[in-house]
Coordinates of all heavy atoms in Angstrom, one line a residue:
M1 N 4.6 0.3 -21.8 CA 5.4 -0.6 -21.1 C 6.1 0.3 -19.9 O 6.3 1.4 -20.1 CB 6.7 -1.1 -22.0 CG 6.2 -2.2 -22.9 SD 5.5 -3.6 -22.0 CE 6.9 -4.6 -21.9
A2 N 6.3 -0.5 -18.9 CA 6.9 0.1 -17.7 C 8.4 0.3 -17.8 O 9.0 -0.4 -18.6 CB 6.6 -0.7 -16.5
G3 N 9.0 1.1 -17.1 CA 10.3 1.5 -17.1 C 11.2 0.4 -16.2 O 10.7 -0.6 -15.7
K4 N 12.4 0.8 -16.1 CA 13.3 0.0 -15.3 C 13.1 -0.1 -13.8 O 13.2 -1.1 -13.1 CB 14.8 0.3 -15.6 CG 15.3 0.2 -17.0 CD 16.7 0.7 -17.1 CE 17.1 0.6 -18.6 NZ 18.4 1.1 -18.7
N5 N 12.6 1.1 -13.3 CA 12.5 1.2 -11.8 C 11.1 1.2 -11.4 O 10.7 1.7 -10.4 CB 13.1 2.6 -11.5 CG 14.6 2.6 -11.7 OD1 15.3 1.6 -11.6 ND2 15.0 3.8 -12.1
D6 N 10.2 0.6 -12.2 CA 8.8 0.6 -11.9 C 8.4 -0.1 -10.6 O 7.6 0.4 -9.9 CB 8.0 0.0 -13.1 CG 8.3 -1.5 -13.4 OD1 9.4 -2.0 -13.0 OD2 7.5 -2.2 -13.9
Q7 N 9.1 -1.1 -10.2 CA 8.8 -1.8 -9.0 C 9.1 -1.0 -7.7 O 8.4 -1.0 -6.8 CB 9.4 -3.3 -9.0 CG 8.8 -4.2 -9.9 CD 9.5 -5.5 -9.8 OE1 10.6 -5.7 -9.3 NE2 8.9 -6.6 -10.5
A8 N 10.3 -0.4 -7.9 CA 10.7 0.6 -6.7 C 9.8 1.7 -6.5 O 9.4 2.1 -5.5 CB 12.1 1.0 -7.0
I9 N 9.3 2.3 -7.7 CA 8.5 3.4 -7.7 C 7.1 3.0 -7.1 O 6.6 3.8 -6.2 CB 8.4 4.1 -9.0 CG1 9.7 4.7 -9.5 CG2 7.3 5.2 -9.0 CD1 9.8 5.1 -10.9
V10 N 6.6 1.9 -7.5 CA 5.3 1.4 -7.1 C 5.5 1.2 -5.5 O 4.5 1.4 -4.8 CB 4.8 0.2 -7.9 CG1 3.6 -0.4 -7.2 CG2 4.4 0.7 -9.3
A11 N 6.5 0.6 -5.1 CA 6.7 0.2 -3.7 C 6.7 1.6 -2.8 O 6.1 1.6 -1.8 CB 8.0 -0.5 -3.5
V12 N 7.3 2.6 -3.3 CA 7.4 3.8 -2.6 C 5.9 4.5 -2.6 O 5.5 4.9 -1.5 CB 8.5 4.8 -3.3 CG1 8.2 6.2 -2.7 CG2 9.8 4.3 -3.1
F13 N 5.3 4.5 -3.6 CA 4.0 4.9 -3.7 C 3.0 4.1 -2.9 O 2.2 4.7 -2.2 CB 3.3 4.9 -5.2 CG 3.8 6.0 -6.0 CD1 3.8 5.8 -7.4 CD2 4.3 7.2 -5.5 CE1 4.3 6.8 -8.2 CE2 4.8 8.2 -6.3 CZ 4.8 8.0 -7.7
F14 N 3.1 2.8 -2.8 CA 2.4 2.0 -1.9 C 2.5 2.3 -0.4 O 1.5 2.5 0.3 CB 2.7 0.5 -2.1 CG 2.0 -0.5 -1.2 CD1 0.7 -0.7 -1.5 CD2 2.6 -1.0 -0.1 CE1 -0.1 -1.6 -0.6 CE2 1.9 -1.8 0.8 CZ 0.6 -2.1 0.5
W15 N 3.8 2.4 0.0 CA 4.0 2.8 1.4 C 3.6 4.2 1.8 O 3.1 4.4 2.8 CB 5.4 2.5 1.8 CG 5.7 1.1 1.9 CD1 6.5 0.3 1.0 CD2 5.1 0.1 2.9 NE1 6.4 -1.1 1.5 CE2 5.6 -1.2 2.5 CE3 4.3 0.3 3.9 CZ2 5.2 -2.2 3.3 CZ3 3.8 -0.9 4.6 CH2 4.2 -2.1 4.4
Y16 N 3.7 5.1 0.8 CA 3.2 6.5 1.0 C 1.7 6.4 1.2 O 1.2 7.1 2.0 CB 3.6 7.3 -0.2 CG 3.1 8.7 -0.2 CD1 3.6 9.7 0.8 CD2 1.9 9.0 -0.9 CE1 3.0 10.9 0.8 CE2 1.4 10.3 -0.8 CZ 1.9 11.3 0.1 OH 1.4 12.5 0.0
K17 N 1.0 5.6 0.3 CA -0.4 5.5 0.3 C -0.8 4.9 1.8 O -1.7 5.5 2.4 CB -0.9 4.5 -0.7 CG -2.4 4.4 -0.8 CD -3.1 5.6 -1.3 CE -4.4 5.4 -1.4 NZ -5.3 6.7 -1.6
I18 N -0.2 3.9 2.2 CA -0.5 3.4 3.5 C -0.3 4.2 4.7 O -1.2 4.3 5.5 CB 0.3 2.0 3.8 CG1 0.0 0.9 2.6 CG2 0.2 1.4 5.1 CD1 -1.4 0.5 2.7
I19 N 0.8 4.9 4.7 CA 1.2 5.8 5.7 C 0.2 7.0 5.8 O -0.3 7.5 6.8 CB 2.6 6.4 5.6 CG1 3.6 5.2 5.9 CG2 2.8 7.5 6.6 CD1 5.0 5.4 5.6
S20 N -0.1 7.6 4.5 CA -1.1 8.7 4.6 C -2.5 8.3 4.9 O -3.2 9.0 5.6 CB -1.1 9.3 3.2 OG -1.6 8.4 2.2
M21 N -2.9 7.0 4.5 CA -4.2 6.6 5.0 C -4.3 6.5 6.4 O -5.3 6.7 7.1 CB -4.6 5.2 4.3 CG -5.0 5.4 2.8 SD -5.4 4.0 1.9 CE -6.3 2.9 3.1
T22 N -3.2 5.9 7.0 CA -3.2 5.7 8.5 C -3.3 7.1 9.2 O -4.1 7.2 10.2 CB -1.9 5.0 8.9 OG1 -1.7 3.8 8.1 CG2 -1.8 4.7 10.3
L23 N -2.6 8.0 8.8 CA -2.7 9.4 9.4 C -4.0 9.9 9.2 O -4.5 10.6 10.1 CB -1.6 10.3 8.8 CG -0.1 9.8 9.2 CD1 0.8 10.7 8.4 CD2 0.1 9.9 10.6
I24 N -4.6 9.8 8.1 CA -5.9 10.4 7.8 C -7.1 9.8 8.6 O -7.8 10.4 9.2 CB -6.3 10.3 6.3 CG1 -5.4 11.1 5.5 CG2 -7.8 10.5 6.1 CD1 -5.5 11.0 4.0
F25 N -6.9 8.5 8.7 CA -7.8 7.7 9.6 C -7.7 8.0 11.2 O -8.7 8.2 11.8 CB -7.9 6.3 9.3 CG -8.5 5.8 8.1 CD1 -7.9 5.0 7.3 CD2 -9.8 6.3 7.8 CE1 -8.4 4.5 6.1 CE2 -10.4 5.9 6.6 CZ -9.7 5.1 5.7
Y26 N -6.4 8.2 11.5 CA -6.2 8.6 12.9 C -6.8 9.9 13.2 O -7.4 10.2 14.2 CB -4.7 8.6 13.1 CG -4.3 9.1 14.6 CD1 -4.4 8.4 15.7 CD2 -3.8 10.4 14.6 CE1 -4.1 8.8 16.9 CE2 -3.6 11.0 15.9 CZ -3.7 10.1 17.1 OH -3.4 10.7 18.3
T27 N -6.5 10.8 12.3 CA -7.1 12.2 12.4 C -8.7 12.2 12.5 O -9.3 12.9 13.3 CB -6.7 13.1 11.3 OG1 -5.2 13.1 11.2 CG2 -7.2 14.5 11.4
A28 N -9.2 11.4 11.5 CA -10.7 11.3 11.4 C -11.2 10.8 12.7 O -12.3 11.3 13.2 CB -11.1 10.5 10.3
I29 N -10.7 9.7 13.3 CA -11.2 9.1 14.5 C -11.1 10.0 15.7 O -11.9 10.0 16.6 CB -10.6 7.7 14.7 CG1 -11.1 6.8 13.6 CG2 -10.8 7.2 16.1 CD1 -10.5 5.4 13.7
H30 N -9.9 10.6 15.8 CA -9.7 11.4 17.0 C -10.2 12.8 17.1 O -10.4 13.4 18.2 CB -8.2 11.3 17.4 CG -7.7 9.9 17.9 ND1 -8.1 9.3 19.1 CD2 -7.1 9.0 17.3 CE1 -7.6 8.2 19.2 NE2 -7.0 7.8 18.1
Y31 N -10.1 13.4 15.9 CA -10.5 14.8 15.8 C -11.9 15.1 15.3 O -12.3 16.3 15.3 CB -9.4 15.7 15.1 CG -8.1 15.6 15.8 CD1 -6.9 14.9 15.3 CD2 -7.8 16.2 17.0 CE1 -5.8 14.8 15.9 CE2 -6.6 16.3 17.6 CZ -5.6 15.5 17.0 OH -4.5 15.5 17.7
K32 N -12.5 14.2 14.7 CA -13.8 14.4 14.0 C -14.8 13.3 14.6 O -15.6 12.8 13.9 CB -13.7 14.2 12.5 CG -12.8 15.2 11.8 CD -13.4 16.5 11.8 CE -12.6 17.5 11.0 NZ -13.2 18.8 10.9
K33 N -14.8 13.1 15.9 CA -15.7 12.2 16.5 C -17.1 12.5 16.3 O -18.0 11.7 16.1 CB -15.3 12.0 18.0 CG -14.1 11.4 18.3 CD -13.8 11.4 19.8 CE -12.4 10.8 20.2 NZ -12.2 10.8 21.6
Q34 N -17.4 13.8 16.4 CA -18.8 14.2 16.2 C -19.4 13.8 14.8 O -20.6 13.4 14.7 CB -19.0 15.7 16.4 CG -18.5 16.2 17.7 CD -19.4 15.7 18.8 OE1 -20.5 15.4 18.7 NE2 -18.6 15.4 19.9
E35 N -18.7 13.9 13.8 CA -19.1 13.4 12.4 C -19.3 11.9 12.3 O -20.0 11.5 11.4 CB -18.1 14.0 11.3 CG -18.2 15.4 11.1 CD -17.4 16.2 12.2 OE1 -16.8 15.7 13.1 OE2 -17.4 17.5 12.1
L36 N -18.6 11.1 13.1 CA -18.7 9.7 13.0 C -20.0 9.2 13.6 O -20.5 8.0 13.3 CB -17.5 9.0 13.6 CG -16.2 9.2 12.9 CD1 -15.1 8.6 13.6 CD2 -16.3 8.7 11.5
Y37 N -20.7 9.9 14.4 CA -21.9 9.5 15.0 C -23.0 9.1 14.1 O -23.8 8.3 14.3 CB -22.5 10.5 16.1 CG -21.6 10.7 17.4 CD1 -21.3 11.9 17.9 CD2 -21.2 9.4 17.9 CE1 -20.5 11.9 19.0 CE2 -20.4 9.6 19.2 CZ -20.1 10.8 19.6 OH -19.3 10.9 20.7
Y38 N -23.0 9.9 12.9 CA -23.9 9.6 11.8 C -23.8 8.1 11.4 O -24.8 7.4 11.3 CB -23.7 10.6 10.6 CG -24.6 10.2 9.5 CD1 -25.9 10.5 9.5 CD2 -24.0 9.5 8.3 CE1 -26.6 10.2 8.3 CE2 -24.7 9.2 7.3 CZ -26.1 9.6 7.3 OH -26.9 9.2 6.2
Y39 N -22.6 7.6 11.1 CA -22.4 6.3 10.8 C -22.7 5.2 11.9 O -23.3 4.2 11.6 CB -21.0 6.1 10.2 CG -20.8 7.0 8.9 CD1 -20.0 8.2 9.2 CD2 -21.3 6.7 7.7 CE1 -19.8 8.9 8.0 CE2 -21.1 7.5 6.7 CZ -20.3 8.5 6.8 OH -20.1 9.4 5.6
Q40 N -22.4 5.7 13.1 CA -22.6 4.8 14.2 C -24.1 4.7 14.5 O -24.6 3.6 14.7 CB -22.0 5.3 15.5 CG -20.5 5.2 15.4 CD -19.7 5.8 16.6 OE1 -20.4 6.5 17.4 NE2 -18.5 5.4 16.7
N41 N -24.9 5.6 14.2 CA -26.3 5.6 14.3 C -27.0 4.8 13.2 O -28.0 4.1 13.4 CB -27.0 7.0 14.2 CG -26.7 7.8 15.5 OD1 -26.6 7.1 16.5 ND2 -26.9 9.1 15.4
L42 N -26.2 4.6 12.0 CA -26.7 3.7 11.0 C -26.3 2.3 11.3 O -26.6 1.3 10.5 CB -26.1 4.2 9.7 CG -26.7 5.5 9.1 CD1 -25.9 5.8 7.9 CD2 -28.1 5.4 8.8
G43 N -25.6 2.1 12.4 CA -25.1 0.7 12.7 C -23.8 0.3 12.1 O -23.5 -1.0 12.1
I44 N -23.0 1.3 11.6 CA -21.7 1.0 11.1 C -20.6 1.4 12.1 O -20.6 2.5 12.5 CB -21.6 1.9 9.8 CG1 -22.6 1.4 8.8 CG2 -20.1 1.6 9.2 CD1 -22.6 2.4 7.5
S45 N -19.8 0.4 12.5 CA -18.8 0.7 13.4 C -17.6 1.4 12.8 O -17.5 1.5 11.6 CB -18.3 -0.6 14.2 OG -17.6 -1.4 13.2
K46 N -16.8 1.9 13.7 CA -15.6 2.7 13.1 C -14.8 1.7 12.4 O -14.2 2.0 11.3 CB -14.8 3.2 14.3 CG -15.4 4.4 15.0 CD -14.6 5.0 16.2 CE -15.3 6.0 16.9 NZ -14.5 6.5 18.0
T47 N -14.5 0.5 12.9 CA -13.8 -0.5 12.2 C -14.4 -0.9 10.7 O -13.6 -0.9 9.9 CB -13.6 -1.8 13.0 OG1 -13.2 -1.5 14.3 CG2 -12.7 -2.9 12.4
Q48 N -15.7 -1.0 10.8 CA -16.3 -1.3 9.5 C -16.1 -0.1 8.5 O -15.8 -0.3 7.3 CB -17.7 -1.6 9.6 CG -18.0 -2.9 10.3 CD -19.5 -3.1 10.6 OE1 -20.2 -2.1 10.8 NE2 -19.9 -4.3 10.5
L49 N -16.3 1.1 9.0 CA -16.0 2.3 8.2 C -14.6 2.3 7.6 O -14.4 2.6 6.4 CB -16.5 3.5 9.0 CG -16.5 4.8 8.2 CD1 -17.5 4.8 7.1 CD2 -16.7 6.0 9.1
I50 N -13.7 2.1 8.4 CA -12.3 2.2 8.0 C -11.9 1.2 7.1 O -11.3 1.5 6.0 CB -11.3 2.2 9.3 CG1 -11.5 3.4 10.1 CG2 -10.0 2.0 9.0 CD1 -10.7 3.6 11.4
L51 N -12.3 -0.1 7.3 CA -12.1 -1.2 6.4 C -12.7 -0.9 5.1 O -12.1 -1.1 4.0 CB -12.6 -2.5 7.0 CG -11.6 -3.1 8.0 CD1 -12.3 -4.4 8.6 CD2 -10.3 -3.4 7.5
A52 N -14.0 -0.6 5.0 CA -14.7 -0.3 3.7 C -14.1 0.7 2.9 O -13.8 0.6 1.8 CB -16.2 -0.1 4.0
T53 N -13.7 1.9 3.6 CA -13.2 3.0 2.8 C -11.7 2.7 2.4 O -11.3 3.0 1.3 CB -13.2 4.3 3.7 OG1 -12.6 4.1 4.9 CG2 -14.6 4.8 3.8
S54 N -11.0 1.9 3.2 CA -9.6 1.6 2.8 C -9.6 0.6 1.7 O -8.7 0.8 0.8 CB -8.9 0.9 4.1 OG -8.8 1.8 5.1
I55 N -10.4 -0.4 1.7 CA -10.5 -1.4 0.6 C -10.9 -0.6 -0.7 O -10.3 -0.9 -1.7 CB -11.4 -2.6 0.9 CG1 -10.8 -3.4 2.1 CG2 -11.7 -3.4 -0.3 CD1 -11.7 -4.4 2.7
F56 N -11.9 0.2 -0.7 CA -12.3 0.8 -1.8 C -11.1 1.8 -2.3 O -10.9 1.8 -3.5 CB -13.6 1.7 -1.5 CG -14.1 2.5 -2.7 CD1 -14.6 1.8 -3.7 CD2 -13.9 3.8 -2.7 CE1 -15.2 2.6 -4.8 CE2 -14.3 4.5 -3.8 CZ -15.0 3.9 -4.9
D57 N -10.6 2.6 -1.4 CA -9.5 3.4 -1.7 C -8.3 2.8 -2.4 O -7.8 3.1 -3.4 CB -9.2 4.3 -0.6 CG -8.1 5.5 -0.9 OD1 -8.4 6.0 -2.0 OD2 -7.3 5.7 -0.2
I58 N -7.9 1.6 -1.8 CA -6.7 0.9 -2.3 C -7.1 0.4 -3.7 O -6.2 0.3 -4.7 CB -6.3 -0.3 -1.3 CG1 -5.7 0.4 -0.1 CG2 -5.5 -1.3 -1.9 CD1 -4.3 1.0 -0.3
F59 N -8.3 -0.1 -3.8 CA -8.7 -0.8 -5.1 C -8.6 0.3 -6.2 O -8.1 0.0 -7.3 CB -10.2 -1.4 -5.0 CG -10.7 -1.9 -6.3 CD1 -10.2 -3.1 -6.8 CD2 -11.6 -1.2 -7.1 CE1 -10.6 -3.6 -8.0 CE2 -12.1 -1.7 -8.2 CZ -11.6 -2.8 -8.7
I60 N -9.2 1.5 -6.0 CA -9.1 2.6 -6.9 C -7.7 2.9 -7.3 O -7.3 3.2 -8.4 CB -10.0 3.7 -6.6 CG1 -11.5 3.4 -6.4 CG2 -9.9 4.9 -7.5 CD1 -12.1 2.9 -7.7
W61 N -6.8 3.0 -6.3 CA -5.5 3.5 -6.4 C -4.7 2.4 -7.2 O -4.0 2.7 -8.1 CB -4.8 3.6 -5.0 CG -3.4 3.9 -5.1 CD1 -2.9 5.1 -5.2 CD2 -2.3 3.0 -4.8 NE1 -1.4 5.0 -5.2 CE2 -1.1 3.7 -5.0 CE3 -2.3 1.6 -4.6 CZ2 0.1 3.1 -4.9 CZ3 -1.1 1.0 -4.6 CH2 0.1 1.8 -4.7
L62 N -5.0 1.2 -7.0 CA -4.4 0.0 -7.6 C -4.8 0.1 -9.1 O -3.9 -0.2 -10.0 CB -4.6 -1.3 -7.0 CG -3.9 -2.5 -7.6 CD1 -2.5 -2.3 -7.3 CD2 -4.4 -3.8 -6.8
M63 N -6.0 0.3 -9.3 CA -6.5 0.3 -10.9 C -5.7 1.5 -11.5 O -5.3 1.2 -12.7 CB -8.0 0.5 -10.8 CG -8.7 -0.5 -10.3 SD -8.3 -2.2 -11.0 CE -8.9 -2.0 -12.7
F64 N -5.5 2.6 -10.9 CA -4.9 3.6 -11.5 C -3.3 3.4 -11.7 O -2.8 3.8 -12.7 CB -5.1 5.1 -10.8 CG -6.3 5.7 -11.2 CD1 -7.3 6.0 -10.1 CD2 -6.7 6.1 -12.4 CE1 -8.5 6.5 -10.4 CE2 -7.9 6.7 -12.8 CZ -8.8 7.0 -11.7
I65 N -2.8 2.8 -10.8 CA -1.3 2.5 -10.8 C -1.3 1.4 -12.0 O -0.2 1.6 -12.8 CB -0.8 2.0 -9.5 CG1 -0.7 3.1 -8.5 CG2 0.5 1.2 -9.7 CD1 0.4 4.1 -8.8
L66 N -2.1 0.4 -12.1 CA -1.9 -0.6 -13.2 C -2.2 0.1 -14.4 O -1.5 -0.2 -15.4 CB -2.9 -1.8 -12.9 CG -2.6 -2.7 -11.7 CD1 -3.6 -3.7 -11.6 CD2 -1.2 -3.2 -11.9
L67 N -3.1 1.0 -14.5 CA -3.3 1.7 -15.9 C -2.1 2.5 -16.2 O -1.8 2.4 -17.4 CB -4.6 2.7 -15.6 CG -4.9 3.4 -16.9 CD1 -5.6 2.6 -17.9 CD2 -5.9 4.5 -16.4
Q68 N -1.5 3.1 -15.3 CA -0.4 4.0 -15.6 C 0.8 3.1 -16.1 O 1.5 3.3 -16.9 CB 0.1 4.8 -14.3 CG 1.4 5.4 -14.5 CD 1.4 6.6 -15.5 OE1 0.3 7.1 -15.6 NE2 2.4 7.0 -16.1
L69 N 1.0 1.9 -15.3 CA 2.1 1.0 -15.8 C 1.9 0.3 -17.1 O 2.8 0.1 -17.9 CB 2.3 -0.1 -14.7 CG 2.9 0.4 -13.3 CD1 3.0 -0.7 -12.4 CD2 4.3 1.0 -13.6
L70 N 0.6 0.0 -17.3 CA 0.3 -0.7 -18.6 C 0.3 0.1 -19.8 O 0.8 -0.2 -20.8 CB -1.0 -1.6 -18.5 CG -0.9 -2.7 -17.4 CD1 -2.2 -3.3 -17.3 CD2 0.1 -3.7 -17.9
I71 N -0.4 1.2 -19.7 CA -0.7 2.2 -20.8 C 0.4 3.3 -20.9 O 0.9 3.6 -22.0 CB -2.1 2.8 -20.7 CG1 -3.1 1.7 -20.9 CG2 -2.3 3.9 -21.8 CD1 -4.5 2.2 -20.7
G72 N 0.8 3.7 -19.8 CA 1.8 4.7 -19.7 C 1.3 6.1 -20.1 O 1.7 6.6 -21.1
I73 N 0.4 6.6 -19.2 CA -0.3 7.9 -19.6 C 0.9 8.9 -19.6 O 1.7 9.0 -18.7 CB -1.3 8.2 -18.4 CG1 -2.4 7.2 -18.5 CG2 -1.9 9.6 -18.7 CD1 -3.4 7.4 -17.4
P74 N 1.0 9.8 -20.6 CA 2.0 10.7 -20.7 C 2.0 11.7 -19.5 O 0.9 12.0 -19.0 CB 1.7 11.5 -22.0 CG 0.9 10.6 -22.7 CD 0.1 9.8 -21.8
G75 N 3.2 12.2 -19.1 CA 3.3 13.0 -17.9 C 2.4 14.3 -17.9 O 1.7 14.6 -16.9
P76 N 2.2 15.0 -19.0 CA 1.4 16.3 -19.0 C -0.1 15.9 -18.7 O -0.7 16.7 -18.0 CB 1.6 16.9 -20.3 CG 2.9 16.4 -20.7 CD 3.1 15.0 -20.2
I77 N -0.5 14.8 -19.4 CA -2.0 14.5 -19.1 C -2.1 14.1 -17.7 O -3.2 14.5 -17.0 CB -2.4 13.4 -20.1 CG1 -2.3 13.8 -21.5 CG2 -3.8 12.9 -19.8 CD1 -2.5 12.8 -22.5
F78 N -1.2 13.3 -17.1 CA -1.4 12.9 -15.8 C -1.3 14.1 -14.8 O -2.0 14.2 -13.8 CB -0.2 11.9 -15.4 CG -0.3 11.2 -14.1 CD1 -1.3 10.4 -13.8 CD2 0.5 11.5 -13.1 CE1 -1.5 9.7 -12.6 CE2 0.4 11.0 -11.9 CZ -0.6 10.1 -11.6
R79 N -0.4 15.1 -15.2 CA -0.3 16.3 -14.4 C -1.7 17.0 -14.4 O -2.0 17.6 -13.3 CB 0.9 17.1 -14.9 CG 1.3 18.1 -13.8 CD 2.6 18.8 -14.4 NE 3.7 17.9 -14.7 CZ 4.2 17.8 -15.9 NH1 4.0 18.8 -16.8 NH2 5.2 17.0 -16.2
Y80 N -2.3 17.2 -15.5 CA -3.6 17.9 -15.6 C -4.7 17.2 -14.7 O -5.5 17.8 -14.1 CB -4.0 18.1 -17.0 CG -3.2 19.0 -17.9 CD1 -2.8 18.6 -19.2 CD2 -2.7 20.2 -17.3 CE1 -2.0 19.5 -19.9 CE2 -1.9 21.1 -18.1 CZ -1.5 20.7 -19.3 OH -0.8 21.5 -20.1
I81 N -4.7 15.8 -14.8 CA -5.6 15.2 -14.0 C -5.4 15.3 -12.6 O -6.3 15.6 -11.9 CB -5.5 13.6 -14.5 CG1 -6.0 13.4 -15.9 CG2 -6.3 12.9 -13.4 CD1 -5.8 12.0 -16.4
L82 N -4.1 15.3 -12.2 CA -3.7 15.5 -10.7 C -4.2 16.9 -10.3 O -4.8 17.1 -9.2 CB -2.3 15.2 -10.5 CG -1.8 15.5 -9.1 CD1 -2.4 14.4 -8.3 CD2 -0.3 15.3 -9.1
W83 N -3.9 17.9 -11.1 CA -4.3 19.3 -10.7 C -5.8 19.4 -10.6 O -6.4 20.2 -9.8 CB -3.8 20.3 -11.7 CG -2.4 20.7 -11.3 CD1 -1.2 20.4 -11.9 CD2 -1.9 21.4 -10.1 NE1 -0.1 20.9 -11.3 CE2 -0.5 21.6 -10.1 CE3 -2.6 22.1 -9.1 CZ2 0.2 22.2 -9.1 CZ3 -1.9 22.7 -8.1 CH2 -0.5 22.8 -8.2
G84 N -6.5 18.7 -11.6 CA -8.0 18.8 -11.6 C -8.4 18.1 -10.3 O -9.4 18.7 -9.6
V85 N -8.0 17.1 -9.8 CA -8.5 16.4 -8.6 C -8.2 17.3 -7.4 O -9.0 17.5 -6.5 CB -7.7 15.0 -8.3 CG1 -8.0 14.5 -7.0 CG2 -8.3 14.1 -9.5
I86 N -7.0 18.0 -7.4 CA -6.6 18.8 -6.2 C -7.5 20.1 -6.2 O -8.0 20.4 -5.1 CB -5.2 19.3 -6.4 CG1 -4.1 18.1 -6.1 CG2 -4.7 20.5 -5.4 CD1 -2.7 18.4 -6.4
L87 N -7.8 20.7 -7.4 CA -8.7 21.7 -7.5 C -10.1 21.3 -6.9 O -10.8 22.1 -6.3 CB -8.8 22.3 -8.8 CG -7.5 23.1 -9.2 CD1 -7.6 23.6 -10.6 CD2 -7.2 24.3 -8.2
I88 N -10.6 20.2 -7.4 CA -11.9 19.7 -6.8 C -12.0 19.6 -5.4 O -13.0 20.0 -4.8 CB -12.3 18.4 -7.6 CG1 -12.6 18.7 -9.1 CG2 -13.6 17.8 -6.9 CD1 -12.8 17.5 -9.9
H89 N -10.9 19.0 -4.9 CA -10.8 18.7 -3.4 C -10.8 20.2 -2.6 O -11.5 20.4 -1.7 CB -9.6 18.0 -3.0 CG -9.9 16.6 -3.1 ND1 -9.7 15.8 -4.3 CD2 -10.2 15.7 -2.1 CE1 -10.1 14.6 -4.0 NE2 -10.3 14.4 -2.8
L90 N -10.1 21.1 -3.2 CA -10.0 22.5 -2.6 C -11.4 23.2 -2.7 O -11.8 23.8 -1.7 CB -9.0 23.3 -3.3 CG -7.5 23.0 -2.9 CD1 -6.6 23.8 -3.8 CD2 -7.3 23.3 -1.4
Y91 N -12.1 23.0 -3.8 CA -13.4 23.6 -4.0 C -14.4 23.0 -2.9 O -15.1 23.8 -2.2 CB -14.0 23.4 -5.4 CG -15.3 23.9 -5.6 CD1 -15.6 25.2 -5.6 CD2 -16.4 23.0 -5.6 CE1 -16.9 25.7 -5.8 CE2 -17.7 23.3 -5.8 CZ -18.0 24.7 -5.9 OH -19.3 25.1 -6.1
I92 N -14.4 21.7 -2.7 CA -15.3 21.1 -1.7 C -14.9 21.5 -0.4 O -15.7 21.8 0.4 CB -15.2 19.5 -2.0 CG1 -15.8 19.1 -3.3 CG2 -15.9 18.8 -0.9 CD1 -15.6 17.7 -3.7
Y93 N -13.7 21.5 -0.1 CA -13.2 22.0 1.3 C -13.6 23.4 1.5 O -14.0 23.8 2.7 CB -11.7 21.8 1.4 CG -11.2 22.2 2.7 CD1 -11.3 21.3 3.9 CD2 -10.5 23.3 2.9 CE1 -10.9 21.7 5.2 CE2 -9.9 23.7 4.2 CZ -10.1 23.0 5.2 OH -9.7 23.3 6.5
I94 N -13.4 24.3 0.6 CA -13.7 25.7 0.8 C -15.3 26.0 0.9 O -15.7 26.7 1.6 CB -13.1 26.5 -0.3 CG1 -11.6 26.5 -0.2 CG2 -13.6 28.0 -0.3 CD1 -10.8 27.2 -1.4
K95 N -16.0 25.2 0.2 CA -17.4 25.3 0.2 C -18.1 25.0 1.4 O -19.0 25.5 1.8 CB -18.0 24.4 -0.9 CG -19.5 24.6 -1.2 CD -19.9 23.7 -2.4 CE -21.4 24.0 -2.7 NZ -21.8 23.1 -3.7
K96 N -17.4 24.1 2.2 CA -18.0 23.7 3.5 C -17.8 24.8 4.5 O -18.2 25.5 5.2 CB -17.2 22.5 4.2 CG -17.4 21.2 3.5 CD -16.6 20.1 4.2 CE -17.0 18.7 3.4 NZ -16.3 17.7 4.1

């Protein structure tokens, strides 16, 4: 079961997600133009790419938020999962 402040916390997480996605897409479009040519050559416009990835990302994020609210994954397990995701991203970033 969710706690007393669950709606406020989810609202903060939601706006954090929207703002961070906006900044990431702005960075990708303006500073990584060369990498976007691959998708443009496949016939995918920047708008389609942003919409598809945004919808997929929000859907996955929403599924995890609902899982957390309904099941209530304990804090330590959630923390280990978060650190695992961060380490995987760092490994992929360093490998490039």
